[in-house]
Amino acid sequence: MRFTAIKLQRFRNYESLAIEPHPGITVLYGPNGSGKTNLLEAMHLLSLGRSHRTAQDREMVAAGAQSSIIQGRTQRTDGAHDIEIRLHPHEKPHKKVLLYGKPAQRIGDLMGHATVVMFSPEDIRIVRDGPAARRRFVDMQLSQIRPAYLQALKTYMTVLESRNALLKQNKLFGVSDFLTQLETWDDQLARASVPLVRARRWFLSELSRNASAQYAAISENPNEPFELRYVGPLAQAEDVYQEMLSGLNRSRREDMQRMYTTFGPHRDDVALMLFSHDLRAFGSQGQLRTAVLSMKLGEIQLITDEMGEPPTLLLDDVFSELDLKRRNALLKSTEGIQTLLSCTDRADAAGAKADQFLRVCQRADGTAELQEG
Ligand SMILES: Nc1ncnc2c1ncn2[C@@H]1O[C@H](COP(=O)(O)OP(=O)(O)O)[C@@H](O)[C@H]1O
Ligand SMILES: [Mg+2]
């Protein structure tokens, strides 16, 4: 798939922008702080409904403005798709999605109209940060590939919140039919965990296979076997529903004390294994970077296989930091795929076989503008 048009109004430092990205490789270049990441962020927002770098949508609305409009048109094998997102921090709802000009029922309906894989300096957080960063990575990618997953995740989180609220209410004030209510939530939570666990298991085994092949191709030592492993109380469960119920039963006493659900896939993690050891604990900086790059490259393959067409690639500031071998692996993955690559100097993209150069400049008032060439 590819983006054929992008329009921004009052988005970050873009007062107004309309571009028609090239189907091949576009190099976005300009000084730090000029607006390169902002444009890639808008494309991420159009694909996944959220920014890759902030959880606060209001940050994306241009300073001093009340609202922002982000529009994209994509071309997929099944035809053209029109996506529009409106951000209104001072109104409810704060975010509206329109598909083909009509309001969407849910934010999640946006999934599947545009698909991107973003490479950014922040990717290293997948290995450096705690389990939540890895769950976010898995959840976002799965949602892109299987829109129904996002709905399943939302259902699980809603039931989890209700169960936690009941635990809290009971400990603080006492609830007369507490056990009956708890059992109802346990049953619902166990049901809701089934699609999550199954999808994560599938995703991680597929991604592991792809990432492992990518790792072998770019690491200094081709004999280093890299793999991803799904870590969680239900990762190996045969009957997910039953094992979730038993787990909730076992942890009931502790949950009542802590007023929080301690068992379940909301605490899942992903282990990055090298020679069957956790890379996060003993890997070198270079190995960690290679692992993250392999996961991202593996994801391109997985999306292409599953969705029948490749995603658009957004390479934010990552190109110049890579050595030749990694750079070439990345370039190989961009062949025939729409790619937007950002860097500070035009020369940083040497070797990238660019089809188009866009210079990002800041006007005197701080707003951004794009010039071809
Ligand atoms: N909500 C906003 N309103 C106006 N300007 C913003 C907003 N958020 C960020 N900016 C500006 O955008 C610029 C950063 O853009 P960015 O795309 O991250 O730069 P880079 O080209 O280095 O990737 C900064 O000048 C910052 O002040
Ligand atoms: Mg940037």
Side-chain angles (χ1 to χ4, degrees), residues 197 201 229-240 243:
V197 172
R201 219 183 256 173
R229 202 170 285 170
Y230 181 11
V231 179
L234 303 169
Q236 315 294 335
E238 277 193 15
D239 186 335
V240 175
E243 292 197 30

Side-chain angles (χ1 to χ4, degrees), residues 25 27 119 214 218 293 297 300 313 315 318-319 322-337 339 341 348-354:
I25 298 179
V27 171
F119 292 72
Q214 294 288 350
I218 52 179
L293 183 61
L297 294 172
I300 301 172
L313 303 187
L315 311 182
V318 288
F319 203 60
L322 298 174
D323 62 23
L324 200 62
K325 203 168 183 187
R326 289 176 180 77
R327 193 183 277 212
N328 285 338
L330 191 53
L331 285 178
K332 201 164 158 231
S333 296
T334 65
E335 273 169 23
I337 302 187
T339 302
L341 183 161
D348 293 339
K353 297 195 194 120

Side-chain angles (χ1 to χ4, degrees), residues 12-13 31-38 53 59-63 362:
R12 294 235 186 229
N13 65 341
N32 279 329
S34 56
K36 303 179 296 291
T37 303
N38 292 346
R53 58 175 170 178
E59 285 176 23
M60 293 184 280
V61 176
Q362 257 182 313

Side-chain angles (χ1 to χ4, degrees), residues 31 61 72 78 220 253 334 338 340 344:
V61 176
D78 65 355
E220 286 74 26
R253 197 180 287 267
T334 65
Q338 184 180 49
L340 283 92
T344 327

Side-chain angles (χ1 to χ4, degrees), residues 133-205:
R134 285 176 291 285
R135 281 197 299 275
R136 196 178 316 119
F137 167 77
V138 170
D139 288 341
M140 295 234 282
Q141 299 320 319
L142 252 173
S143 304
Q144 284 212 100
I145 299 174
R146 295 187 173 178
Y149 177 84
L150 183 62
Q151 206 45 50
L153 181 63
K154 286 200 170 139
T155 303
Y156 181 90
M157 296 314 284
T158 308
V159 178
L160 180 66
E161 267 173 38
S162 304
R163 188 180 190 271
N164 289 342
L166 175 68
L167 290 165
K168 191 167 179 189
Q169 180 81 10
N170 184 56
K171 174 131 192 227
L172 299 181
F173 310 107
V175 174
S176 59
D177 58 346
F178 170 70
L179 277 182
T180 322
Q181 283 199 46
L182 189 68
E183 271 163 21
T184 309
W185 290 127
D186 284 3
D187 174 66
Q188 287 200 34
L189 199 60
R191 271 177 216 284
S193 65
V194 177
L196 287 198
V197 172
R198 289 213 181 119
R200 286 177 181 176
R201 219 183 256 173
W202 168 82
F203 174 76
L204 287 168
S205 81

